[in-house]
């Protein structure tokens, strides 16, 4: 595995691969990698000839008072995970490499960035879309892999790729969970034993609603209520919403199309997000997870 820190070195490494017609897979991350990231990298390695992983703690997607300064880091462990999962190139740019002096051009996502996390993290998806667009321009991947864990992010990125005619296929990988259901997250490192126990309420609530849905309960208010009852163990629920996966608009009646039940909650000072997909038929679920042909 090659480690590069500059865009010039990255491009020099990728040029011959592209000339040989190799299929390039890309996994953007913010580091402190876990098996969720590992799964994305493995999927890319399985489907592509070369897998590029970036680790970049992107300052523009953090708001004031958020955890940019305290975000966990362990570069040595990250390198080993990338290597073991099959990455060929690890891109580790400095902030000044990505945002040189004078930087002033951004990607402004539209309505899809407004609800859910967008409501509580103003500017977050602008920061995400901008850095992902820049990384796509640097790597020029054929496929890029994102986790369903950050559901709204996948919707915003997929829309951006379509709207800006980026020749990349966005692959969304199902959320990887601990054996007890907790969604893997770099931010789980903030949780002590007691907080982790309370954090488990989030996945328990969402998965209970999904089980009820699969057992035939399709009324949106009831599904939200089932999740909310179990989520009561967290310190505060920032949002708990059932939305249409296409436009992120709230579903209030019967769930008759693929929906996402999305939650953000605080356990102590740690903000965690999670979601489950509710698909009226298996075929719909497959569409959400795999289908993306932005330029079709
Ligand atoms: P992050 O480093 O948190 O920016 O995440 C990098 C990528 O890994 C994003 O596409 C995330 O959605 C994805 N990811 C994070 N946690 C998980 C998880 N538990 N399962 C699957 N993908 C994940």
């Amino acid at each position: 595995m090659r480690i590069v820190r500059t865009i010039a070195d990255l491009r020099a490494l990728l040029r011959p691969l592209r000339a040989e017609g190799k299929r390039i897979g890309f996994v953007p991350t913010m580091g402190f990698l876990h098996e969720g990231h590992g799964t994305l990298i493995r999927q890319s390695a399985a489907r592509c000839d070369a897998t590029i992983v970036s680790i970049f703690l992107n300052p523009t997607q953090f708001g004031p008072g958020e955890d940019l300064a305290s975000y966990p880091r362990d570069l040595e462990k990250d390198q080993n995970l990338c290597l073991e999962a099959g990455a060929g190139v690890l891109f580790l740019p400095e902030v000044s490499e990505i945002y040189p002096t004078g930087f002033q051009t951004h990607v402004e996502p539209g309505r899809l960035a407004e609800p859910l996390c967008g409501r509580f993290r103003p500017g977050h998806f602008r920061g995400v879309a901008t850095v992902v667009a820049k990384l796509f321009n640097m790597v020029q991947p054929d496929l890029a892999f994102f986790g369903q864990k950050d559901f709204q992010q996948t919707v915003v990125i997929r829309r951006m790729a379509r709207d800006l005619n980026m020749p990349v296929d966005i692959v969304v990988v199902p959320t990887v969970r601990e054996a007890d259901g907790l969604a893997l997250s770099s931010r789980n490192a903030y949780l002590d034993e007691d907080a982790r126990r309370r954090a488990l309420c989030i996945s328990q609530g969402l998965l209970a609603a999904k089980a009820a849905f699969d057992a035939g309960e399709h009324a949106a208010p009831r599904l939200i209520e089932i999740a909310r009852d179990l989520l009561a163990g967290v310190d505060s629920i920032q949002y708990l919403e059932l939305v249409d996966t296409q436009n992120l608009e709230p579903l209030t009646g019967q769930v008759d199309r693929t929906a996402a039940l999305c939650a953000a909650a605080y356990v102590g000072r740690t903000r965690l997000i999670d979601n489950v997909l509710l698909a009226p038929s298996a075929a719909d679920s497959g569409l959400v997870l795999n289908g993306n042909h932005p330029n079709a």
Side-chain angles (χ1 to χ4, degrees), residues 152-286:
Q152 188 175 13
Q153 172 171 278
T154 67
V155 177
V156 167
I157 296 296
R158 193 168 264 177
R159 185 76 249 167
M160 174 188 78
R162 277 193 196 133
D163 287 350
L164 301 184
N165 305 92
M166 297 172 168
V168 55
D169 228 341
I170 307 297
V171 181
V172 178
V173 177
T175 302
V176 179
R177 300 178 180 281
E178 304 271 13
D180 61 7
L182 183 72
L184 296 191
S185 164
S186 306
R187 291 186 167 102
N188 291 350
Y190 298 138
L191 306 172
D192 63 20
E193 207 178 308
D194 178 57
R196 193 201 175 286
R197 196 156 18 81
R198 281 177 291 135
L200 193 56
C201 299
I202 304 170
S203 56
Q204 284 176 339
L206 297 176
L207 292 168
K210 185 174 172 61
F213 180 83
D214 291 342
E217 176 59 80
H218 287 194
R222 179 71 194 123
L223 292 164
I224 292 171
E225 191 178 283
I226 290 168
R228 193 178 296 281
D229 281 350
L230 284 159
L231 265 140
V234 300
D235 292 311
S236 68
I237 299 174
Q238 189 175 59
Y239 65 76
L240 174 63
E241 282 190 58
L242 187 54
V243 298
D244 181 323
T245 54
Q246 300 296 314
N247 56 24
L248 304 186
E249 283 170 13
L251 292 174
T252 50
Q254 287 292 114
V255 179
D256 55 358
R257 65 202 97 152
T258 309
L261 182 58
C262 302
Y266 277 94
V267 178
R269 295 180 55 186
T270 304
R271 180 180 181 276
L272 298 170
I273 58 169
D274 197 355
N275 67 85
V276 290
L277 295 183
L278 309 179
S281 77
D284 289 346
S285 153

Side-chain angles (χ1 to χ4, degrees), residues 16-45:
L17 296 178
R18 207 169 290 111
E20 287 169 27
K22 302 280 196 215
R23 198 214 270 258
I24 293 174
F26 178 45
V27 181
T29 82
M30 299 201 300
F32 208 71
L33 305 183
H34 50 65
E35 207 28 58
H37 302 104
T39 303
L40 266 57
I41 298 167
R42 259 184 274 281
Q43 285 227 2
S44 175

Side-chain angles (χ1 to χ4, degrees), residues 128-150:
V128 169
T130 300
V131 80
V132 171
K134 285 166 66 63
L135 290 165
F136 280 0
N137 282 337
M138 295 167 203
V139 177
Q140 294 177 250
D142 298 289
L143 274 72
F145 295 79
F146 293 84
Q148 188 208 309
K149 161 81 167 38
D150 297 277

